[in-house]
Amino acid sequence: MADTNESPPGGAPPPDGGGVALPENGWRKEYWKKNLRLMVVLLVVWFAVSFGAGILFVEQLNEIVIAGFPLGFWFAQQGSIYTFILLILIYALRMDKLDDEYGVSERNDDGSRS
Amino acid sequence: MSDIQTWALIFVAASFALYIGIAWRSRVKETKGFFVAEQNIPAVANGAAVAADWMSAASFISMAGLIAFLGSDGSIYLMGWTGGYVLLALLLAPYLRKWGKFTVPEFVGDRFSETVRSVSAVVAIIVSFTYVVGQMAGGGIVFSRFLQVEQGAGVAIAAAVIFAYAVFGGMKGITWTQVAQYTVLIVAYLIPAWAVAHTMTGFPVPQISFGEILAELNRIGAEFGLPVYTEAFTARPQIDVFLVTLSLMIGTAGLPHVIIRFYTTKTVRGARYSALWALIFIGLLYTTAPAVGAFTKLNLLNGVQGAAVDALPSWVQNWMATGLITVGEGVNTIGTVSNDPTSGADMIINNDILVLASPEIAGLPAPIVGLVAAGGLAAAMSTAAGLLLVISSSASHDLYFRYVDHHASEARRLLVSRIAMGIAVLVAIYFGINPPAFVAQVVAFAFGLAASTFFPILLLGIFWKRANAAGAVSGMLTGLVFTATYMIYTLPVFGTQANDHIMGVSPEGIGAIGAVVNLVVTVIVSLATRPPSHEVQEMVENIRYPAVARRTGTSA
């Protein structure tokens, strides 16, 4: 735990990570906030489908049977996986848009996606 | 089974020739090729490589059978081993790719301190070794079962092939062989699965058609005295199902051999789409597995119910010859079935049978059975190679060059990394042939340790600028000690006695609590000590934006 010695002397900057291009920091905060909001929404769905429908409320959902599948059982062994794939797809597509909107998408010199 | 043997030999030999050919084409000349495949792997290919890297011999051969006997609670593996990719895609992969160096310990070294890097490298080596031993043994089992080669020799042959592409091609060779291995294993898995579904229901998509046999499976299971198949929490209490699922998810997201696969893409965007493709490719097998489990179990139970021992279906008799299905002494007709050798049931079935026998159940010809052998080997070898790369890179890049050989030239670094890889392969062969007695139980260790050490500090390292080195070291060590202590307390490993589970929490599920302990300790200690330096906070700021520089004029 002698680790604290390793952080360089000179004290720390303001906790907000300032110091980077201060005057135009606005877009950074906005981009990051939108990223976090998207992330939280997707993670709520992630939790609701897997832990909610597949574990916590599986018994109640099992009362409903569709095409032979008790619904809770279906979420636990099938539906949750499909939802996970969908969540990553939405994330990747939305982040593409967000990156473009804030000019931070990765581009080649000719402007095409790299 | 000699016909099957011939076809297995043909498929295995052909697939090995393919892997060696790929290895030759992807030789590397520098460490960037050796560690991160020159960072130019397209997203789809990387996704396939992640899928092969991830899906082990156990996923391929054992999982369907395991689920068939766990019933509804088999969902711990299905959700646990796929849900982690959502965490990886949203929380870790894009940021670690933007940072863009070689290993997981190296990231925490840059972000926190050199001490954290050394601790991480040691943990990465331990986690990967516990995992690789199982893969080696799994490869040996496929050899002995299908080709009648002695298990030890089988391990050596598989390892020799891995050696060829991993030592010469490093990550680049491993990546492209993993793409080929994914193709082999998924074809080998899906063909019998679709055929079984078609045979039993007349509709070939197993994901959809296994619904119609569930009611019958519940009924016949009851006659065998088995728990209701679709009813939850018959195998484990609810709290344990919750915790094991969570542990496997965050363990997946924290396993170094999975994380480094996202370092090899061209861009941050590529890392996001790699995660998408990876989960699509993995989901293809993981949504099929529960169907295969249900179909083969129903077929098995139907076939043996009330049957006289000398009038069992022919495929059951075939597999009895291999010892994977055994009938208790003095049993005349089959009344009870179990996968637990200590249960005393009339018929004991090895989990692996449900996948291995599926081609025969569907009446598929011998070549397909041979293909399943090649698929099982592909699953074992691809995972082993990914793990060996982590061991080699941690040992050379994160430890040897920092402590022993500070000023090594590029050529020397590449040579040492290759030697480290070679040694890792040899050690893995040794333990693959002589697996330690506790190996089955320590696989739970790999996930629990990854969950309780890496995931929390990576997460905080990326999302919380205030997290510092003192916090990360204390958090990691507390998480590690907490998790390992509970595992040793509840598992009969290292000669210790197994104690009862506390509050129904199994050793597989403790990693989730260990992760929370790690998180809390890291936060508290970080807040009690000085914030990280300006440079470190700037680094954290920079990994949040994909492009190197912002393009003005397009912004809102």
Side-chain angles (χ1 to χ4, degrees), chain B residues 170-206:
Chain B
M171 191 58 149
K172 193 178 170 196
I174 289 172
T175 304
W176 289 110
T177 40
Q178 281 174 338
V179 174
Q181 284 158 338
Y182 176 75
T183 314
V184 172
L185 80 86
I186 200 68
V187 169
Y189 203 84
L190 293 186
I191 291 179
W194 283 54
V196 168
H198 186 75
T199 313
M200 295 191 63
T201 65
F203 187 70
V205 182

Side-chain angles (χ1 to χ4, degrees), chain A residues 1 3-4 6-20 24-25 27-32 35-36 38-39 42-43 46-47 49-51 54-59 62 67-70 73-78 80-82 84-89 91-93 95-96 99-108 111 113-114, chain B residues 67 71-75 78-79 82-83 85-87 89-91 94-95 113-116 207-208 210-212 214 229-233 238 241-242 245-246 249 267-269 272-273 275-276 279-280 283 286-287 290 462-463 465 469-470 473-474 477 529-535 537-538 541-542 544-547 549-551 554-556:
Chain A
M1 315 268 154
D3 245 15
T4 38
E6 290 176 24
S7 58
D16 201 20
V20 191
E24 37 177 306
N25 239 354
W27 72 269
R28 286 173 177 262
K29 277 194 175 160
E30 225 176 276
Y31 171 90
W32 189 241
N35 176 0
L36 291 182
L38 173 65
M39 209 181 79
L42 295 177
L43 286 178
W46 166 81
F47 185 86
V49 172
S50 50
F51 293 96
I55 296 175
L56 296 174
F57 299 103
V58 63
E59 281 155 334
N62 275 346
F69 292 103
F73 175 87
W74 183 80
F75 268 110
Q77 300 211 339
Q78 296 279 315
S80 56
I81 301 175
Y82 302 132
F84 296 154
I85 294 173
L86 211 61
L87 291 175
I88 303 183
L89 175 69
Y91 175 73
L93 292 173
M95 287 308 284
D96 278 354
D99 288 349
D100 283 343
E101 197 181 316
Y102 286 86
V104 291
S105 58
E106 296 141 303
R107 299 281 176 167
N108 296 320
R113 279 200 196 280
S114 58
Chain B
I67 294 166
S72 176
D73 293 347
S75 62
L78 295 167
M79 292 197 287
T82 53
Y85 282 87
V86 178
L87 301 177
L90 271 58
L91 302 174
Y95 306 106
S113 75
E114 294 299 298
T115 315
V116 188
Q207 285 88 341
I208 295 170
F210 89 103
E212 50 186 272
L214 289 173
Y229 192 77
T230 56
E231 194 173 294
F233 318 126
Q238 185 168 22
V241 169
F242 189 97
T245 306
L246 188 59
M249 283 184 183
T267 57
V268 173
R269 181 170 182 263
R272 294 182 197 135
Y273 281 91
L276 174 65
L279 193 56
I280 290 174
Y286 272 60
T287 53
I462 292 166
F463 287 90
K465 288 179 185 163
V473 169
S474 338
L477 292 176
T529 48
R530 277 195 309 175
S533 71
H534 186 78
E535 291 72 30
Q537 301 208 26
E538 205 155 303
E541 176 72 19
N542 276 326
R544 293 179 175 178
Y545 315 100
R550 188 185 184 214
R551 293 156 56 90
T554 52
S555 79

